[in-house]
Amino acid sequence: MTHAMLKGSNVPLEAATVRAVVRWTPHTGVPDVDASALLLGPDGRVRSDQDFVFYNQPRHPSGKVWRLGKRQGAEGLTDTIQADLAGVEPDVGRILLVASTDDVAFDRVTDLRIELYDASLADAEPLASFDVKPETGQETALICGELYRRGEGWKFRALGEGYSDGLKGLAADYGISVDETEEGTADTDGGSSGVPAVSATAPTVAQPLPPEQPVPAPDQSLPPEQPAPDQALPPEQPVPATPVTQPAYGYPHPAQAYPQPQPAAAAAGTGYGYPQPVAGPPDPGFRLPPMGPQFIGR
């Protein structure tokens, strides 16, 4: 039997996997409606941007919540979210079920409602049904209801809470920051394209560094380098001695500093101090001059 729900009421769910179907009646002037889901952690906010399941990200990484997409039925258009409640991660306490339009107010959407089914049963009646009524009519996003844990099981609560600023306002309330510089792309089954891409403000796990790449072995095809042959240095040239051209005064300088003896004719008139060597044997008639007076100190 189907539970016809009122806003704020709840119903326990015995099904392990449920299908939440958002339904409306299309006609001229009625905007398209998209279904999405937000998985909330213990603090009531998303843990990362991957906890937002919508037309640009139709499947949660855990594989337990996903979007089935739009279908045309006898009673109108539908967009569906399915959840494997038995396999949802333990730290996910609530799953919000959301309907949104592409910046067109919900007062133009007719016969909007959400229905819950046991996904394991084919052609079964809904477990619960809730006619969603916008509070102001200007909303562009509505939380139709939520799946939430209660003890060891799950329940569904009918909500009908709206946002006039669409998914952007809803995302901001639940920990997702909207990047307005980058817009989402259209869904293959007719999803809106005007919703900006989103990124979560929750901290993300650091990504591991890529493994180090091995250093390639040197190319063996090239011949090894040969050392350059030693170049013989030229023999050192003796440095010629610089002749001393200045005259000698006082005590004689070391022998290597003296100029070589010159012939008597060349040395005449150039010797000072000590007598210069003379060529040939001494003159036998040479006598020393007489000594001068000697001074005796007092």
Side-chain angles (χ1 to χ4, degrees):
M1 185 178 99
T2 302
H3 292 270
M5 304 187 67
L6 299 176
K7 183 173 181 177
S9 62
N10 61 78
V11 61
L13 299 173
E14 296 180 359
T17 303
V18 297
R19 185 180 298 123
V21 180
V22 176
R23 191 185 303 276
W24 69 100
T25 302
H27 57 76
T28 303
V30 174
D32 200 20
V33 177
D34 298 302
S36 56
L38 279 77
L39 285 70
L40 308 183
D43 60 352
R45 296 165 70 84
V46 296
R47 299 164 300 170
S48 75
D49 60 346
Q50 294 180 331
D51 284 342
F52 187 19
V53 177
F54 68 123
Y55 50 79
N56 279 344
Q57 187 170 264
R59 193 174 188 88
H60 190 264
S62 67
K64 302 305 179 182
V65 179
W66 64 98
R67 177 176 178 262
L68 293 178
K70 290 186 172 67
R71 284 178 174 80
Q72 175 73 58
E75 299 182 20
L77 276 172
T78 64
D79 197 2
T80 304
I81 298 289
Q82 186 159 312
D84 178 5
L85 299 179
V88 172
E89 298 156 294
D91 57 342
V92 174
R94 298 164 61 198
I95 302 174
L96 302 184
L97 303 172
V98 178
S100 62
T101 65
D102 187 11
D103 297 329
V104 179
F106 267 101
D107 61 355
R108 296 173 60 181
V109 178
T110 56
D111 304 324
L112 180 67
R113 69 180 179 274
I114 184 170
E115 298 172 341
L116 261 67
Y117 293 84
D118 185 342
S120 64
L121 302 176
D123 300 325
E125 291 185 358
L127 301 174
S129 177
F130 172 51
D131 291 332
V132 185
K133 302 295 183 183
E135 294 180 344
T136 68
Q138 299 307 304
E139 296 90 345
T140 54
L142 288 168
I143 302 176
C144 300
E146 65 175 356
L147 303 167
Y148 64 98
R149 291 184 188 271
R150 181 61 65 197
E152 297 297 324
W154 287 81
K155 285 188 172 185
F156 172 72
R157 178 182 289 120
L159 292 177
E161 298 174 357
Y163 291 82
S164 60
D165 48 358
L167 286 180
K168 175 183 175 182
L170 184 146
D173 272 4
Y174 291 97
I176 300 173
S177 69
V178 179
D179 182 4
E180 298 184 30
T181 63
E182 181 181 354
E183 293 191 352
T185 57
D187 185 79
T188 56
D189 58 5
S192 305
S193 61
V195 179
V198 295
S199 60
T201 57
T204 57
V205 179
Q207 298 298 321
L209 295 176
E212 294 185 359
Q213 300 299 322
V215 179
D219 188 356
Q220 300 298 329
S221 61
L222 297 178
E225 294 185 0
Q226 300 296 329
D230 294 336
Q231 300 295 327
L233 297 176
E236 295 185 359
Q237 300 298 325
V239 179
T242 304
V244 179
T245 57
Q246 63 184 21
Y249 299 97
Y251 295 97
H253 289 191
Q256 64 271 20
Y258 281 94
Q260 298 299 322
Q262 302 293 328
T270 62
Y272 298 96
Y274 293 96
Q276 302 297 318
V278 296
D283 186 2
F286 176 76
R287 297 291 186 271
L288 294 174
M291 300 293 291
Q294 303 295 315
F295 296 94
I296 300 174
R298 295 181 181 181

